[in-house]
Amino acid sequence: MWMLVFWVLPLFALVYVAWHMWTILPLAAIWKTLVIVVGVSCFLMLFLSVARKFDSLPLPLAQLSYEIGTSSIIVLLYLVILFLVLDLGRLVHLVPQSLLYHNWYASAGIFVLLFGIFLYGNFHYYNKVRVSLVLKSSKPLPKAYKVVMASDLHLGYHNPRKELARWVDMINAEHPDFILIAGDIIDGSMRPLLEERMVEEFHRLQAPVYACLGNHEFYAGQPEAKQFYRDAGIHLLIDDCAVIDSSIVIIGRDDRTNMRRKPVKDLIDKKELYSIVLDHQPYNLDRTEAAGVDFQLSGHTHRGQVWPISWITDHIYECSWGSHRRGNTQYYISSGIGIWGGKFRIGTQSEYVVATLR
Protein backbone atom coordinates (compact mmCIF):
# COMPACT_ATOMS: atom_id res chain seq x y z
CA MET A 1 0.00 0.00 0.00
CA TRP A 2 2.85 2.39 0.87
CA MET A 3 4.53 1.70 -2.47
CA LEU A 4 1.24 2.24 -4.30
CA VAL A 5 0.51 5.58 -2.65
CA PHE A 6 3.98 7.10 -2.76
CA TRP A 7 5.43 5.72 -5.99
CA VAL A 8 2.87 4.31 -8.42
CA LEU A 9 0.00 6.77 -8.04
CA PRO A 10 2.23 9.87 -8.45
CA LEU A 11 3.55 8.47 -11.74
CA PHE A 12 0.01 8.03 -13.06
CA ALA A 13 -0.80 11.54 -11.84
CA LEU A 14 2.26 12.87 -13.65
CA VAL A 15 1.10 11.37 -16.95
CA TYR A 16 -2.42 12.75 -16.41
CA VAL A 17 -1.17 16.27 -15.71
CA ALA A 18 1.37 16.19 -18.56
CA TRP A 19 -1.37 15.26 -21.03
CA HIS A 20 -3.55 18.13 -19.84
CA MET A 21 -0.66 20.57 -19.99
CA TRP A 22 -0.01 19.52 -23.56
CA THR A 23 -3.62 20.08 -24.60
CA ILE A 24 -4.30 23.31 -22.71
CA LEU A 25 -1.14 25.32 -23.41
CA PRO A 26 -1.49 27.45 -26.58
CA LEU A 27 2.20 27.06 -27.47
CA ALA A 28 4.27 25.49 -30.21
CA ALA A 29 5.15 21.82 -29.66
CA ILE A 30 8.76 22.59 -28.75
CA TRP A 31 7.70 24.96 -25.93
CA LYS A 32 5.09 22.53 -24.62
CA THR A 33 7.75 19.84 -24.56
CA LEU A 34 10.09 22.13 -22.65
CA VAL A 35 7.43 22.96 -20.04
CA ILE A 36 6.62 19.28 -19.50
CA VAL A 37 10.30 18.25 -19.35
CA VAL A 38 10.99 20.92 -16.71
CA GLY A 39 7.96 19.79 -14.71
CA VAL A 40 8.92 16.11 -14.87
CA SER A 41 12.52 16.96 -13.93
CA CYS A 42 11.32 18.83 -10.84
CA PHE A 43 9.21 15.83 -9.86
CA LEU A 44 12.11 13.41 -10.36
CA MET A 45 14.09 15.47 -7.84
CA LEU A 46 11.67 14.07 -5.26
CA PHE A 47 12.99 10.56 -5.88
CA LEU A 48 16.56 11.86 -5.69
CA SER A 49 15.86 13.55 -2.37
CA VAL A 50 14.35 10.37 -0.90
CA ALA A 51 17.39 8.42 -2.15
CA ARG A 52 19.72 10.99 -0.49
CA LYS A 53 21.45 11.91 -3.76
CA PHE A 54 21.91 15.56 -2.81
CA ASP A 55 24.52 14.98 -0.09
CA SER A 56 27.39 15.41 -2.53
CA LEU A 57 26.16 18.80 -3.82
CA PRO A 58 27.22 22.14 -2.35
CA LEU A 59 24.87 22.88 0.55
CA PRO A 60 22.93 25.81 -1.08
CA LEU A 61 22.38 23.76 -4.25
CA ALA A 62 21.34 20.71 -2.23
CA GLN A 63 18.84 22.82 -0.28
CA LEU A 64 17.36 24.26 -3.48
CA SER A 65 17.13 20.83 -5.12
CA TYR A 66 15.43 19.38 -2.06
CA GLU A 67 12.90 22.23 -1.93
CA ILE A 68 12.04 21.85 -5.62
CA GLY A 69 11.75 18.07 -5.48
CA THR A 70 9.62 17.82 -2.35
CA SER A 71 7.42 20.78 -3.32
CA SER A 72 6.65 19.21 -6.68
CA ILE A 73 4.55 16.41 -5.18
CA ILE A 74 2.19 18.97 -3.60
CA VAL A 75 2.04 21.03 -6.80
CA LEU A 76 1.24 17.82 -8.69
CA LEU A 77 -1.54 16.99 -6.20
CA TYR A 78 -3.25 20.34 -6.73
CA LEU A 79 -2.88 20.17 -10.50
CA VAL A 80 -4.55 16.74 -10.47
CA ILE A 81 -7.42 18.07 -8.31
CA LEU A 82 -7.88 21.08 -10.58
CA PHE A 83 -7.86 19.09 -13.82
CA LEU A 84 -10.21 16.48 -12.35
CA VAL A 85 -12.68 19.23 -11.45
CA LEU A 86 -12.42 20.67 -14.97
CA ASP A 87 -12.85 17.22 -16.54
CA LEU A 88 -15.93 16.50 -14.42
CA GLY A 89 -17.30 19.91 -15.29
CA ARG A 90 -16.81 19.14 -18.98
CA LEU A 91 -18.57 15.77 -18.66
CA VAL A 92 -21.67 17.38 -17.13
CA HIS A 93 -21.51 20.26 -19.63
CA LEU A 94 -20.70 22.94 -17.06
CA VAL A 95 -17.25 23.60 -18.52
CA PRO A 96 -16.99 24.26 -22.27
CA GLN A 97 -14.64 21.87 -24.05
CA SER A 98 -12.83 24.80 -25.65
CA LEU A 99 -11.62 25.89 -22.20
CA LEU A 100 -9.32 22.85 -22.01
CA TYR A 101 -7.73 23.15 -25.47
CA HIS A 102 -5.12 25.72 -26.49
CA ASN A 103 -6.56 28.40 -24.24
CA TRP A 104 -4.52 31.35 -22.97
CA TYR A 105 -7.17 32.45 -20.48
CA ALA A 106 -7.46 29.01 -18.90
CA SER A 107 -3.68 28.59 -18.75
CA ALA A 108 -3.20 32.00 -17.12
CA GLY A 109 -6.09 31.38 -14.72
CA ILE A 110 -4.65 28.07 -13.56
CA PHE A 111 -1.23 29.64 -13.02
CA VAL A 112 -2.61 32.58 -11.03
CA LEU A 113 -4.86 30.34 -8.92
CA LEU A 114 -2.10 27.90 -8.00
CA PHE A 115 0.42 30.67 -7.41
CA GLY A 116 -2.01 32.30 -4.97
CA ILE A 117 -2.73 29.02 -3.16
CA PHE A 118 0.93 28.15 -2.70
CA LEU A 119 1.91 31.69 -1.74
CA TYR A 120 -0.72 31.56 0.99
CA GLY A 121 0.40 28.05 2.00
CA ASN A 122 4.01 29.17 2.31
CA PHE A 123 3.19 32.22 4.43
CA HIS A 124 0.89 30.10 6.57
CA TYR A 125 3.68 27.58 7.15
CA TYR A 126 5.99 30.24 8.56
CA ASN A 127 3.26 31.44 10.91
CA LYS A 128 3.84 29.24 13.96
CA VAL A 129 0.67 28.95 16.04
CA ARG A 130 0.98 29.00 19.82
CA VAL A 131 -1.44 26.43 21.28
CA SER A 132 -2.37 26.74 24.96
CA LEU A 133 -3.09 23.58 26.91
CA VAL A 134 -4.06 22.94 30.54
CA LEU A 135 -3.12 19.63 32.20
CA LYS A 136 -4.74 18.94 35.57
CA SER A 137 -3.17 16.40 37.87
CA SER A 138 -4.96 14.54 40.65
CA LYS A 139 -1.52 13.59 41.95
CA PRO A 140 0.47 15.92 44.20
CA LEU A 141 2.82 18.39 42.52
CA PRO A 142 5.21 20.77 44.34
CA LYS A 143 4.25 23.62 41.98
CA ALA A 144 2.61 24.44 38.66
CA TYR A 145 4.82 23.64 35.68
CA LYS A 146 5.07 25.39 32.35
CA VAL A 147 5.95 22.98 29.55
CA VAL A 148 6.69 23.74 25.90
CA MET A 149 5.91 20.83 23.59
CA ALA A 150 6.81 20.36 19.95
CA SER A 151 7.20 17.62 17.39
CA ASP A 152 8.37 17.04 13.83
CA LEU A 153 11.07 19.68 13.49
CA HIS A 154 12.45 17.87 10.42
CA LEU A 155 15.75 19.73 10.54
CA GLY A 156 17.77 19.32 7.37
CA TYR A 157 17.93 20.76 3.89
CA HIS A 158 14.58 22.56 4.06
CA ASN A 159 14.57 23.55 7.75
CA PRO A 160 18.06 25.02 8.19
CA ARG A 161 19.80 26.48 11.23
CA LYS A 162 18.31 29.94 10.66
CA GLU A 163 14.81 28.53 11.04
CA LEU A 164 15.79 26.48 14.10
CA ALA A 165 17.22 29.62 15.72
CA ARG A 166 13.82 31.32 15.35
CA TRP A 167 12.10 28.37 17.01
CA VAL A 168 14.60 28.38 19.88
CA ASP A 169 13.89 32.09 20.47
CA MET A 170 10.14 31.38 20.54
CA ILE A 171 10.57 28.58 23.07
CA ASN A 172 12.93 30.57 25.31
CA ALA A 173 10.44 33.45 25.34
CA GLU A 174 7.99 31.15 27.15
CA HIS A 175 10.46 30.50 30.03
CA PRO A 176 9.38 26.85 30.41
CA ASP A 177 10.36 24.54 33.24
CA PHE A 178 11.12 21.81 30.70
CA ILE A 179 10.67 21.05 27.00
CA LEU A 180 9.22 17.94 25.35
CA ILE A 181 9.84 16.92 21.72
CA ALA A 182 7.87 14.00 20.30
CA GLY A 183 10.28 12.77 17.63
CA ASP A 184 11.41 13.57 14.09
CA ILE A 185 13.88 16.26 15.11
CA ILE A 186 15.95 15.08 12.13
CA ASP A 187 14.47 14.99 8.63
CA GLY A 188 16.75 12.49 6.89
CA SER A 189 20.30 13.41 5.98
CA MET A 190 22.62 14.28 8.85
CA ARG A 191 24.85 16.29 6.54
CA PRO A 192 23.08 19.72 6.82
CA LEU A 193 22.73 19.39 10.61
CA LEU A 194 26.45 18.73 11.01
CA GLU A 195 27.62 21.23 8.42
CA GLU A 196 25.50 24.03 9.91
CA ARG A 197 26.40 22.96 13.47
CA MET A 198 22.78 22.96 14.58
CA VAL A 199 23.70 21.51 17.99
CA GLU A 200 24.77 25.02 18.95
CA GLU A 201 21.17 26.23 18.68
CA PHE A 202 19.94 23.51 21.04
CA HIS A 203 22.55 24.64 23.55
CA ARG A 204 20.78 28.02 23.67
CA LEU A 205 17.61 26.44 25.06
CA GLN A 206 17.17 27.58 28.65
CA ALA A 207 15.37 24.51 29.98
CA PRO A 208 16.05 20.76 29.93
CA VAL A 209 14.83 18.95 26.81
CA TYR A 210 13.36 15.44 26.77
CA ALA A 211 12.65 13.67 23.50
CA CYS A 212 11.83 10.34 21.90
CA LEU A 213 12.81 8.99 18.51
CA GLY A 214 10.65 9.32 15.41
CA ASN A 215 10.60 7.30 12.22
CA HIS A 216 12.83 9.85 10.45
CA GLU A 217 15.61 9.25 12.95
CA PHE A 218 15.61 5.69 11.64
CA TYR A 219 15.87 7.02 8.08
CA ALA A 220 18.82 9.21 9.11
CA GLY A 221 20.56 6.27 10.78
CA GLN A 222 20.10 5.59 14.48
CA PRO A 223 23.73 5.80 15.64
CA GLU A 224 24.26 9.19 13.97
CA ALA A 225 20.92 10.49 15.19
CA LYS A 226 21.57 9.38 18.77
CA GLN A 227 24.99 11.02 18.72
CA PHE A 228 23.40 14.27 17.52
CA TYR A 229 20.93 14.13 20.43
CA ARG A 230 23.78 13.62 22.88
CA ASP A 231 25.84 16.45 21.39
CA ALA A 232 22.78 18.74 21.50
CA GLY A 233 22.27 18.06 25.21
CA ILE A 234 18.87 16.42 24.65
CA HIS A 235 17.72 13.74 27.11
CA LEU A 236 16.84 11.01 24.63
CA LEU A 237 14.46 8.45 26.11
CA ILE A 238 14.27 5.13 24.24
CA ASP A 239 11.93 2.85 26.18
CA ASP A 240 13.26 4.66 29.21
CA CYS A 241 12.10 7.26 31.69
CA ALA A 242 13.27 10.34 33.58
CA VAL A 243 11.88 11.75 36.83
CA ILE A 244 11.44 15.48 37.48
CA ASP A 245 11.22 16.79 41.07
CA SER A 246 10.17 13.36 42.34
CA SER A 247 6.66 14.15 41.05
CA ILE A 248 6.64 13.78 37.24
CA VAL A 249 7.87 10.81 35.24
CA ILE A 250 8.54 11.27 31.53
CA ILE A 251 8.52 8.06 29.50
CA GLY A 252 9.98 8.06 26.01
CA ARG A 253 9.02 5.17 23.77
CA ASP A 254 11.12 3.84 20.94
CA ASP A 255 9.49 4.56 17.61
CA ARG A 256 6.94 2.16 16.17
CA THR A 257 9.46 1.46 13.39
CA ASN A 258 11.12 -0.85 15.91
CA MET A 259 8.62 -3.70 15.99
CA ARG A 260 10.28 -5.08 19.13
CA ARG A 261 9.96 -1.98 21.28
CA LYS A 262 8.64 -2.51 24.80
CA PRO A 263 4.88 -2.31 25.43
CA VAL A 264 3.88 0.89 27.17
CA LYS A 265 2.51 -1.07 30.17
CA ASP A 266 6.01 -2.41 30.83
CA LEU A 267 7.40 1.14 31.10
CA ILE A 268 5.00 2.32 33.81
CA ASP A 269 6.45 1.50 37.22
CA LYS A 270 5.93 4.75 39.15
CA LYS A 271 2.16 5.06 39.12
CA GLU A 272 2.17 7.44 42.09
CA LEU A 273 3.82 10.09 39.86
CA TYR A 274 2.18 12.14 37.12
CA SER A 275 3.13 10.26 33.94
CA ILE A 276 3.86 11.75 30.52
CA VAL A 277 4.47 9.45 27.56
CA LEU A 278 6.32 10.61 24.45
CA ASP A 279 5.33 8.37 21.54
CA HIS A 280 5.95 9.72 18.06
CA GLN A 281 3.22 7.86 16.17
CA PRO A 282 -0.29 8.07 17.68
CA TYR A 283 -1.41 4.48 17.19
CA ASN A 284 -3.09 2.20 19.76
CA LEU A 285 -4.12 5.00 22.10
CA ASP A 286 -6.18 2.48 24.03
CA ARG A 287 -3.01 0.80 25.28
CA THR A 288 -1.77 4.04 26.84
CA GLU A 289 -5.12 4.45 28.56
CA ALA A 290 -5.05 0.85 29.82
CA ALA A 291 -1.54 1.42 31.24
CA GLY A 292 -2.88 4.27 33.39
CA VAL A 293 -0.87 7.04 31.72
CA ASP A 294 -1.91 10.59 32.58
CA PHE A 295 -0.83 12.35 29.38
CA GLN A 296 0.61 11.38 26.00
CA LEU A 297 2.28 13.68 23.47
CA SER A 298 2.57 12.50 19.87
CA GLY A 299 3.19 13.95 16.43
CA HIS A 300 3.95 12.27 13.11
CA THR A 301 0.66 12.95 11.30
CA HIS A 302 1.34 16.61 10.36
CA ARG A 303 -2.42 16.37 9.90
CA GLY A 304 -1.59 15.68 6.28
CA GLN A 305 0.15 19.09 5.87
CA VAL A 306 -2.28 20.17 3.13
CA TRP A 307 -5.96 19.67 2.36
CA PRO A 308 -7.38 17.21 1.28
CA ILE A 309 -4.65 14.92 2.74
CA SER A 310 -5.91 16.09 6.14
CA TRP A 311 -9.15 14.21 5.42
CA ILE A 312 -7.12 11.01 4.97
CA THR A 313 -5.17 11.40 8.22
CA ASP A 314 -8.39 12.22 10.08
CA HIS A 315 -9.75 8.90 8.83
CA ILE A 316 -6.63 6.82 9.54
CA TYR A 317 -5.99 7.91 13.13
CA GLU A 318 -8.29 7.90 16.13
CA CYS A 319 -7.05 11.46 16.60
CA SER A 320 -4.82 12.98 13.93
CA TRP A 321 -4.51 16.40 15.52
CA GLY A 322 -5.33 18.31 18.70
CA SER A 323 -6.54 17.44 22.18
CA HIS A 324 -8.12 14.08 22.84
CA ARG A 325 -9.19 12.09 25.86
CA ARG A 326 -9.75 8.42 26.63
CA GLY A 327 -10.93 7.74 30.17
CA ASN A 328 -8.46 9.40 32.55
CA THR A 329 -5.75 9.75 29.90
CA GLN A 330 -5.30 13.04 28.08
CA TYR A 331 -3.57 13.26 24.68
CA TYR A 332 -2.24 15.93 22.41
CA ILE A 333 -1.39 15.05 18.79
CA SER A 334 0.68 17.87 17.33
CA SER A 335 0.65 18.77 13.65
CA GLY A 336 4.32 19.73 14.07
CA ILE A 337 6.33 22.91 14.25
CA GLY A 338 8.27 21.90 11.15
CA ILE A 339 7.32 19.91 8.10
CA TRP A 340 8.49 17.30 5.65
CA GLY A 341 8.79 18.37 2.03
CA GLY A 342 7.36 21.52 0.51
CA LYS A 343 6.83 24.38 2.94
CA PHE A 344 3.07 24.68 2.50
CA ARG A 345 0.34 24.54 5.11
CA ILE A 346 -3.11 24.54 3.52
CA GLY A 347 -5.95 23.72 5.89
CA THR A 348 -3.49 22.77 8.65
CA GLN A 349 -1.09 24.67 10.89
CA SER A 350 2.49 24.64 12.13
CA GLU A 351 2.39 24.83 15.89
CA TYR A 352 4.02 24.51 19.26
CA VAL A 353 2.18 23.81 22.51
CA VAL A 354 2.53 25.73 25.76
CA ALA A 355 1.03 23.63 28.55
CA THR A 356 0.38 24.43 32.18
CA LEU A 357 0.53 21.38 34.44
CA ARG A 358 -1.05 21.95 37.83
Side-chain angles (χ1 to χ4, degrees), residues 302-323:
H302 300 206
R303 209 192 170 200
Q305 297 187 186
V306 297
W307 176 90
I309 305 300
S310 53
W311 286 355
I312 298 175
T313 58
D314 288 348
H315 178 73
I316 290 174
Y317 299 94
E318 178 180 333
C319 176
S320 72
W321 170 66
S323 293

Side-chain angles (χ1 to χ4, degrees), residues 52 55 155-157 186-194 216 219-220:
R52 305 260 296 272
D55 287 353
L155 299 174
Y157 286 123
I186 300 164
D187 184 61
S189 173
M190 292 298 303
R191 181 259 183 124
L193 285 80
L194 299 176
H216 276 254
Y219 304 156

Side-chain angles (χ1 to χ4, degrees), residues 240-254:
D240 199 1
C241 65
V243 176
I244 298 176
D245 294 344
S246 301
S247 58
I248 301 170
V249 58
I250 301 173
I251 301 140
R253 299 198 68 192
D254 199 352

Side-chain angles (χ1 to χ4, degrees), residues 227-300:
Q227 185 61 50
F228 179 84
Y229 276 62
R230 286 193 290 269
D231 293 342
I234 297 170
H235 300 282
L236 177 60
L237 303 174
I238 305 175
D239 285 346
D240 199 1
C241 65
V243 176
I244 298 176
D245 294 344
S246 301
S247 58
I248 301 170
V249 58
I250 301 173
I251 301 140
R253 299 198 68 192
D254 199 352
D255 185 64
R256 190 169 179 262
T257 305
N258 177 10
M259 301 298 290
R260 291 179 290 181
R261 67 176 180 167
K262 292 181 180 179
V264 64
K265 63 182 178 63
D266 292 351
L267 301 173
I268 307 295
D269 61 353
K270 296 179 174 63
K271 294 189 176 182
E272 72 280 6
L273 306 183
Y274 185 86
S275 55
I276 298 175
V277 164
L278 304 178
D279 191 356
H280 179 63
Q281 303 189 47
Y283 289 97
N284 306 122
L285 302 186
D286 57 316
R287 297 177 187 176
T288 313
E289 176 196 6
V293 171
D294 294 298
F295 175 72
Q296 176 175 315
L297 173 67
S298 296
H300 182 65

